[in-house]
């Protein structure tokens, strides 16, 4: 059974960078069978896809966040990470890591982490 | 980018059938996936590829997709089905491929 677990600071100051790491267990990122994504959810609101990474390091980002987002992977640790720069209060959200099951030009998120609440405040 | 439209809320009595819609331009040509999210929990995939169920999801959950509307149907609704439900597509032709609907709050009366 694949499990994902987010970790990182729960409080970030405005204009600074948000950094989270997702540790994957029960499966290897290096298998190349899946893509690995970040998704966020502001309090009381819906889900927003942030981007994905493949084990090779190939990435794709939501255009609305592209200028501030970096997703990286460390296959030796079976982890992938999110960095969001120049944060504001609007970036306050629960951040989820998820496995993207991509096939035949379609894709769904079949395994999710429990989520990590990040608050942007001074 | 592609837009998915869901009703904000749906209410149903226990034992009845709930239908949650997801509208999108020619959505019938895409694979639609559905997630259930209970308060304080991560979303759970309940239907994928329009109508398939992951292992462990009750048969009461089913889906359909045609034209401009996809539908998640929950039969014999139980109190434990009360949750937010999100539809999702992967629009590989767009520069914003990962798209979610706004979510529907299912209330069991």
């Amino acid at each position: 059974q694949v499990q994902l677990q987010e970790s990182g600071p729960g409080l970030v100051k405005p204009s600074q960078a948000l950094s989270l790491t997702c540790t994957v267990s029960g499966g290897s990122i290096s298998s190349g069978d899946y893509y690995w994504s970040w998704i966020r959810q502001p309090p009381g609101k819906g889900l927003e896809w942030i981007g994905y990474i493949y084990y090779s390091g190939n990435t794709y980002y939501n255009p609305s966040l592209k200028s501030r987002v970096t997703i990286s992977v460390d296959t030796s640790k079976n982890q992938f990470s999110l960095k969001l720069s120049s944060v504001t209060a609007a970036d306050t959200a629960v951040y989820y890591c998820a496995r993207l099951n991509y096939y035949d030009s379609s894709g769904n998120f079949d395994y999710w982490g429990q989520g990590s609440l990040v608050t942007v405040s001074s | 980018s592609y837009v998915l439209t869901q009703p904000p809320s749906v209410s149903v009595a226990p034992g009845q059938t709930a239908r949650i819609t997801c509208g999108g331009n020619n959505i019938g040509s895409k694979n639609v996936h559905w997630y259930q999210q209970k308060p304080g929990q991560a979303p759970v995939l309940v239907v994928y590829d329009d109508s398939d169920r992951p292992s462990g999801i009750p048969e009461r959950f089913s889906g359909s997709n045609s034209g401009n509307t996809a539908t998640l149907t929950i039969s014999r609704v139980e109190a434990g089905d009360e949750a937010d439900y999100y539809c999702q597509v992967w629009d590989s032709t767009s520069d914003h491929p990962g798209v979610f609907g706004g979510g529907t709050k299912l209330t069991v009366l």
Side-chain angles (χ1 to χ4, degrees):
Chain A
Q1 178 81 344
V2 174
Q3 293 186 316
L4 296 89
Q5 177 69 58
E6 305 90 350
S7 59
L11 180 65
V12 180
K13 289 182 167 52
S15 80
Q16 294 190 345
L18 173 164
S19 293
L20 293 170
T21 295
C22 182
T23 301
V24 179
S25 58
S28 173
I29 289 178
S30 298
S31 72
D33 293 332
Y34 302 97
Y35 293 70
W36 304 91
S37 261
W38 287 97
I39 296 159
R40 71 179 183 179
Q41 184 174 35
K45 297 188 178 181
L47 301 165
E48 179 181 31
W49 173 73
I50 297 172
Y52 71 66
I53 192 164
Y54 194 50
Y55 82 100
S56 60
N58 288 347
T59 55
Y60 202 98
Y61 303 136
N62 182 329
S64 69
L65 298 169
K66 185 177 182 179
S67 63
R68 298 193 293 131
V69 170
T70 302
I71 298 176
S72 59
V73 65
D74 185 338
T75 55
S76 67
K77 295 182 178 179
N78 220 30
Q79 295 176 334
F80 63 105
S81 298
L82 169 71
K83 181 178 179 180
L84 182 66
S85 63
S86 305
V87 298
T88 69
D91 295 310
T92 293
V94 175
Y95 286 77
Y96 295 99
C97 57
R99 189 176 82 171
L100 171 59
N101 188 15
Y102 181 72
Y103 52 93
D104 297 335
S105 299
S106 180
N108 60 67
F109 304 98
D110 57 355
Y111 287 94
W112 297 63
Q114 66 184 28
S116 180
L117 174 62
V118 179
T119 301
V120 178
S121 175
S122 56
Chain B
S1 62
Y2 194 74
V3 176
L4 296 173
T5 302
Q6 298 183 237
S9 63
V10 167
S11 298
V12 64
Q16 299 303 303
T17 297
R19 294 178 178 85
I20 299 172
T21 59
C22 178
N25 184 34
N26 197 25
I27 196 174
S29 66
K30 303 182 184 301
N31 288 336
V32 178
H33 319 292
W34 292 91
Y35 303 85
Q36 176 193 68
Q37 185 180 34
K38 296 182 179 179
Q41 298 183 19
V44 173
L45 182 66
V46 293
V47 167
Y48 67 96
D49 290 353
D50 299 338
S51 59
D52 291 331
R53 283 184 312 277
S55 174
I57 301 301
E59 292 183 4
R60 300 185 297 104
F61 289 81
S62 62
S64 62
N65 184 18
S66 179
N68 293 318
T69 304
T71 303
L72 173 69
T73 301
I74 309 172
S75 303
R76 302 180 300 283
V77 167
E78 304 173 354
D81 299 330
E82 187 162 289
D84 293 326
Y85 291 84
Y86 294 89
C87 59
Q88 177 253 319
V89 301
W90 190 266
D91 185 8
S92 58
T93 65
S94 168
D95 63 351
H96 183 178
V99 182
F100 289 94
T104 298
K105 169 67 175 178
L106 175 66
T107 299
V108 181
L109 301 170

